[in-house]
Amino acid sequence: MPKHASRPQRGRFGRTRSVVIAGALVASVVAILGPATATTTVTGGDAGTNPPVVRNDSATVNVDVSALTYFKTATVANIANTAYTASSLNTLKALNLSNLLCKGNLPGTGTDNSARTVVSVTDPNNTVVATATSPARDVSILGNGNPIATQPAPSAANYIGDYTGTGTHGLSLNVSLAGKPSGTYTVTTTNYNTIRYRSTGTGGQTTPCVIGVPDPANGNKSVIPGPVTTTTTFIYRPWQEQFTDVFGNGKVQANVIPRENKFTVGTQVTPIYAGTPENTTFYALPNAASFSLPSDPAACAANPASCLPSTAVKVEPGPGVTPRIMIINEPQGKAPTAPNGLVGVFDLDSQAFIAVAKVNGSQRTLTSLGTDLDAQYKAALTKLATQAAAKGIDINTLLATKVKVNNGQYETSLSLLDALQIDPSTTQHGVQIVSDATAQAGLILGIYIDSVPNGCLAAKSATNTSATPRFAPTAPYGWTVERSDLIPDVPAAGPLGTIAGGPVFHIFGKMRTPAQGALTDTFSAVLGADTAANEPNGYPVWLEPFVAAGAVSAPRSFEFLGTATWSASETPLLGSCLVVDFMLGTGVAVYNNPLGVTVAQLLSPLYKPSAQGAQLNAALKSALQQATDPVTTNPQVSALLTQILGTLPI
């Protein structure tokens, strides 16, 4: 409710002469409506909050009745028998016609006598963010008293007060809060009510319009001069974090300080829940390290150490402490969310998340790869989800399916959800290559995921540690993997020996681009060298030393020669073939090869290269030799692999 500010001191208002105004005017006077009945409210806040807590970027201030005009006709001797009365619409019309109405909104000119209400909104820093003045009304002989549709310019003829009786009263002010600070906002409403007095008789004297209200303590027979000011407040506390499911199944809204959340499944929406340090925890990651979401949020929430990077540190948000990861563990049946429930892991930087949410009996697994990646994958994932649902397959189960890879000594796993979160094109240490024919050397990451129509009849898969570490696709798109018999094994050395050492593989493939229907087709030299773009003669030329890295977006074909951890698979799905290919290795790769031969052929003693091929052949051999040591000893790469592979002991 509004809080009333102190009123000015009471005074007296009167004249030495007074007579009765015309009978028609007196007959129109209605019951008293004093300013105490006018209220200012704020809408747009959470239900049941007082003061209102506003989450969205706007709020509306409503004043139900603006300032009023009071009129009195009586002699001073009879003042005790006559009360001041708020003017009705008919009274205002009569006063207007007889030139007795207090009018004008030209401040500083002497013609600003109209009653008026001024609303002002200040932010937590006491800065004014919005103001409004009551509108000019139509009080002409045929007027309805409502605000004039197109507000006139300030004029001595305007009446901007209000009146009693049936009609459209008060004023509204929409307050834009976009970009404004959170905290407590103060709404100040100032009512400049006016009072006028006229003595009885033809040519009776009329007093000037003065600001004031009748004094109820004296039976409304005297005047309290000055404006009446009230204040009320609302709290602006927007959602700091908003996570939206890539499939449109729901969203989670949350604040870090104070801990609170609200979530939606379909059309079902929860109340706002206050979090606690026990059910909402935060973690910081040093040096902006990368982070892959877990495929099982419940297991992660129960044991964060099982899914968070080893460098994650539990923190309490506050000044100077900015968390990166938020874990909410409010399962169904547990206070305060019962009978609803929310268990999830949230990346506060990218807005990527995975959560199981239940609202009023509706439960969904909500997933997002983050604001940027959702824009790339949403259309493809939505199409895949629709196809999977038609066959009774849950897309989230498919996304969580893991592929294990190992080198005989170490083993790690990667889910489709993990793979989709790796976006090499955003690496801070790279230069994106835009030429059609390119090549890279160094530590290379490749991901290809596609749902190929009429691609395969049976499931098949292989990894670098399979009994036969080779893979030949049956689908028209995908990777072929061969263990090279031309180059001996590279000794495993350094902390990344599992990636930079071992047998040499020749991996090559033909891919569809995302524009052609592929879900993912991305390759990157995480650390290494890229080719120069648009070199003469139409073939790539290597850059040395290895100081640059970058991404090749959606190549039509690629070839890789080097050591690698890899997995390749084909799975029949809904009449299509789900192709999932992944590799992380040290070596060289050529994309959209402009030559008529393969990299393997260039290195084969049976192949006699052309002059251009000989130059490329020499560069490839040099790149293989130089790539191993810098990669295995570079701590930056070691830290990156810790995040990408997660469980790989390095």
Side-chain angles (χ1 to χ4, degrees):
M1 294 297 292
K3 297 179 292 184
H4 287 268
S6 58
R7 288 186 172 183
Q9 295 295 315
R10 295 187 179 96
R12 295 284 297 177
F13 177 80
R15 294 289 292 176
T16 57
R17 298 175 59 199
S18 62
V19 293
V20 179
I21 198 169
L25 179 60
V26 175
S28 67
V29 175
V30 297
I32 297 172
L33 179 61
T37 62
T39 57
T40 299
T41 57
V42 177
T43 59
D46 294 337
T49 54
N50 186 20
V53 176
V54 178
R55 306 286 181 174
N56 297 322
D57 58 4
S58 67
T60 301
V61 176
N62 301 290
V63 179
D64 62 346
V65 179
S66 303
L68 300 170
T69 290
Y70 291 85
F71 191 80
K72 174 179 174 59
T73 57
T75 62
V76 173
N78 294 330
I79 191 170
N81 300 319
T82 307
Y84 292 98
T85 306
S87 298
S88 69
L89 176 59
N90 288 336
T91 300
L92 291 179
K93 289 181 180 182
L95 292 173
N96 191 29
L97 290 174
S98 60
N99 201 30
L100 297 177
L101 182 64
C102 296
K103 296 186 296 184
N105 61 339
L106 283 170
T109 66
T111 53
D112 58 343
N113 297 319
S114 176
R116 73 197 65 201
T117 293
V118 178
V119 176
S120 177
V121 182
T122 56
D123 68 11
N125 302 316
N126 205 34
T127 300
V128 176
V129 297
T131 60
T133 300
S134 51
R137 295 177 177 274
D138 185 356
V139 292
S140 65
I141 189 62
L142 299 177
N144 59 10
N146 291 337
I148 300 172
T150 301
Q151 285 290 291
S155 165
N158 292 340
Y159 177 69
I160 61 172
D162 212 329
Y163 63 91
T164 61
T166 303
T168 302
H169 299 291
L171 74 153
S172 293
L173 170 61
N174 184 266
V175 184
S176 175
L177 299 170
K180 300 295 191 298
S182 59
T184 299
Y185 284 66
T186 300
V187 180
T188 302
T189 305
T190 305
N191 288 301
Y192 296 88
N193 303 278
T194 58
I195 294 179
R196 197 164 201 172
Y197 172 88
R198 183 182 181 183
S199 59
T200 305
T202 302
Q205 294 183 355
T206 302
T207 66
C209 297
V210 297
I211 296 172
V213 293
D215 184 0
N218 192 28
N220 297 315
K221 301 179 182 67
S222 59
V223 175
I224 304 174
V228 177
T229 299
T230 62
T231 61
T232 190
T233 61
F234 67 91
I235 298 171
Y236 178 45
R237 193 159 71 219
W239 292 113
Q240 301 160 5
E241 310 292 343
Q242 299 205 48
F243 303 88
T244 303
D245 177 64
V246 68
F247 303 113
N249 292 325
K251 64 181 179 180
V252 177
Q253 297 169 296
N255 278 335
V256 175
I257 301 176
R259 287 174 169 89
E260 55 184 351
N261 63 73
K262 174 183 178 181
F263 45 100
T264 301
V265 172
T267 59
Q268 302 296 311
V269 183
T270 70
I272 295 172
Y273 297 117
T276 68
E278 290 72 35
N279 61 25
T280 305
T281 52
F282 298 94
Y283 297 83
L285 289 182
N287 303 321
S290 59
F291 168 62
S292 294
L293 295 172
S295 54
D296 186 346
C300 183
N303 181 19
S306 67
C307 59
L308 299 184
S310 59
T311 53
V313 178
K314 188 175 182 180
V315 296
E316 183 62 26
V321 179
T322 303
R324 167 68 183 279
I325 302 170
M326 175 176 67
I327 296 179
I328 297 178
N329 190 15
E330 299 175 349
Q332 179 191 2
K334 178 182 177 182
T337 61
N340 303 320
L342 177 68
V343 178
V345 181
F346 305 82
D347 187 331
L348 301 179
D349 277 6
S350 67
Q351 304 302 297
F353 79 107
I354 182 169
V356 177
K358 184 172 185 179
V359 185
N360 299 332
S362 297
Q363 180 169 308
R364 292 288 188 277
T365 298
L366 309 179
T367 304
S368 170
L369 304 174
T371 303
D372 295 335
L373 291 181
D374 277 358
Q376 300 179 35
Y377 297 126
K378 182 175 182 178
L381 288 175
T382 301
K383 181 179 179 181
L384 181 61
T386 301
Q387 293 176 336
K391 296 295 183 179
I393 300 174
D394 178 58
I395 184 63
N396 291 291
T397 302
L398 182 62
L399 288 173
T401 301
K402 291 189 174 184
V403 176
K404 291 186 177 181
V405 293
N406 63 66
N407 67 346
Q409 183 179 3
Y410 302 123
E411 180 178 277
T412 189
S413 61
L414 188 76
S415 70
L416 178 56
L417 179 62
D418 295 330
L420 289 173
Q421 294 174 69
I422 301 173
D423 183 16
S425 63
T426 61
T427 175
Q428 297 179 356
H429 312 289
V431 177
Q432 186 169 356
I433 303 301
V434 296
S435 60
D436 188 51
T438 58
Q440 295 174 329
L443 184 64
I444 295 175
L445 171 68
I447 305 172
Y448 179 61
I449 305 172
D450 198 354
S451 179
V452 181
N454 303 317
C456 56
L457 298 177
K460 60 184 301 186
S461 64
T463 72
N464 56 293
T465 59
S466 297
T468 302
R470 302 174 189 272
F471 186 82
T474 57
Y477 298 99
W479 296 358
T480 297
V481 183
E482 299 174 349
R483 177 168 175 167
S484 176
D485 298 323
L486 302 177
I487 301 176
D489 289 5
V490 177
L496 301 184
T498 184
I499 300 299
V504 174
F505 292 98
H506 178 218
I507 305 175
F508 56 95
K510 178 182 178 183
M511 287 82 65
R512 295 197 304 171
T513 66
Q516 296 171 320
L519 297 175
T520 305
D521 182 19
T522 304
F523 294 80
S524 174
V526 180
L527 183 76
D530 296 317
T531 61
N534 302 317
E535 284 294 325
N537 305 315
Y539 61 88
V541 176
W542 289 103
L543 297 175
E544 296 183 23
F546 294 156
V547 294
V552 178
S553 178
R556 300 183 307 276
S557 66
F558 97 108
E559 292 179 71
F560 169 83
L561 193 64
T563 63
T565 292
W566 60 268
S567 66
S569 67
E570 293 180 341
T571 306
L573 177 66
L574 312 178
S576 298
C577 184
L578 179 63
V579 175
V580 179
D581 297 330
F582 168 82
M583 64 156 283
L584 182 66
T586 301
V588 294
V590 176
Y591 307 97
N592 302 326
N593 189 353
L595 302 176
V597 295
T598 67
V599 175
Q601 287 175 317
L602 289 175
L603 296 177
S604 170
L606 300 177
Y607 176 71
K608 183 178 180 180
S610 63
Q612 294 92 342
Q615 184 178 2
L616 181 57
N617 187 16
L620 291 175
K621 289 182 179 179
S622 174
L624 266 177
Q625 182 178 356
Q626 296 183 44
T628 303
D629 290 343
V631 170
T632 57
T633 58
N634 188 291
Q636 187 178 48
V637 178
S638 177
L640 178 63
L641 286 180
T642 299
Q643 304 303 323
I644 294 178
L645 297 180
T647 60
L648 187 64
I650 56 175

